Amino acid sequence: MEYRRITSIEDPLFVKMHDLMKEVFPPEEVLEFELWKEPLEDPGIRVFVAVHQDEVVGATEYRYYPDWNIAMTDFTIIGRPGLSLGRFLAQNREKDLNELAHANGKELFGMFAEIYDPYQLDDHEFGGVKPMNPFVRREVLSHLGYKRLDLSYVHPSWKNDGEAVKGLDFCFMPKDEAISEIPAQLVSDFLTTYYSVLSNKPQEWVQMIEEINNNTGIKLLPL
């Protein structure tokens, strides 16, 4: 199995990856094909696919932010069971991020991720792909070390229609497991930057950011 980076919508592997995304994720979570052009060409956005027998069977997108020394996992797709894809993607992603942090003269502080909470919403089928079941994914990510931030989380729909997407937790995986709180300013700055590409923010999101800014720290709770 190969771990291949995609940097252009012209790459045939991207067509396969985008098709896989549409099979697995709900529509509001999938950026339109043409809108991927600039993100893929951005050196700070890292999109990799797992290629098995010339097919894209998994994918992950993530970013490293040198100023904050943190990363964000945008998504991870397990498209086929029985290939240890979760471990393959996680290990290769970790290796890549550690190299980026070391090049920045630091040890990675940690990584953010949005994680579905099936106890809030239970209507995500994820294309019938069993490894993508949100109950399974939540436990796997907990095993990896992710903890949920102590806040009621929403995010702007990637359709940029001003709707608030609910049913997720915003989580953080600290490299140091002893860390039980992270700076509220880091959370606010990160989310504001991360969603700056979307011009149409829902009021619920704006209020959430205001509430974060009213705190000095955000607790990390068990996932």
Side-chain angles (χ1 to χ4, degrees), residues 22-25 124-130 132:
K22 290 188 292 185
E23 290 176 14
V24 169
F25 289 127
H124 295 311
E125 294 297 327
F126 290 96
V129 181
K130 294 299 184 183
M132 293 292 290

Side-chain angles (χ1 to χ4, degrees), residues 57-194:
V57 293
T60 185
E61 175 186 317
Y62 51 96
R63 316 170 193 213
Y64 175 67
Y65 296 82
D67 290 346
W68 297 318
N69 188 35
I70 55 95
M72 169 70 175
T73 302
D74 297 322
F75 63 78
T76 301
I77 298 176
I78 310 299
R80 192 183 299 178
L83 294 174
S84 293
L85 277 169
R87 182 173 177 80
F88 176 80
L89 292 171
Q91 285 189 321
N92 280 281
R93 179 175 60 216
E94 182 179 21
K95 178 182 177 183
D96 186 38
L97 285 170
N98 284 336
E99 289 174 354
L100 291 170
H102 290 161
N104 192 34
K106 299 176 181 178
E107 294 290 329
L108 184 68
F109 178 60
M111 182 157 42
F112 286 115
E114 294 173 333
I115 298 175
Y116 283 99
D117 182 1
Y119 301 100
Q120 292 186 50
L121 299 174
D122 59 1
D123 60 348
H124 295 311
E125 294 297 327
F126 290 96
V129 181
K130 294 299 184 183
M132 293 292 290
N133 180 287
F135 289 99
V136 174
R137 286 164 57 81
R138 194 173 178 86
E139 290 305 313
V140 169
L141 291 165
S142 175
H143 275 69
L144 286 177
Y146 277 99
K147 301 176 182 180
R148 63 185 178 88
L149 274 69
D150 188 15
L151 55 87
S152 296
Y153 187 68
V154 298
H155 78 71
S157 168
W158 285 103
K159 290 182 178 180
N160 202 24
D161 55 9
E163 293 296 318
V165 178
K166 303 177 181 179
L168 300 103
D169 285 316
F170 193 48
C171 300
F172 188 72
M173 178 176 63
K175 273 286 188 178
D176 181 353
E177 293 185 8
I179 292 174
S180 60
E181 182 178 284
I182 59 176
Q185 191 67 53
L186 172 62
V187 178
S188 174
D189 289 348
F190 172 77
L191 288 173
T192 302
T193 300
Y194 187 73

Side-chain angles (χ1 to χ4, degrees), residues 8 55 79 192 207:
S8 169
E55 291 299 320
T192 302
Q207 291 174 345

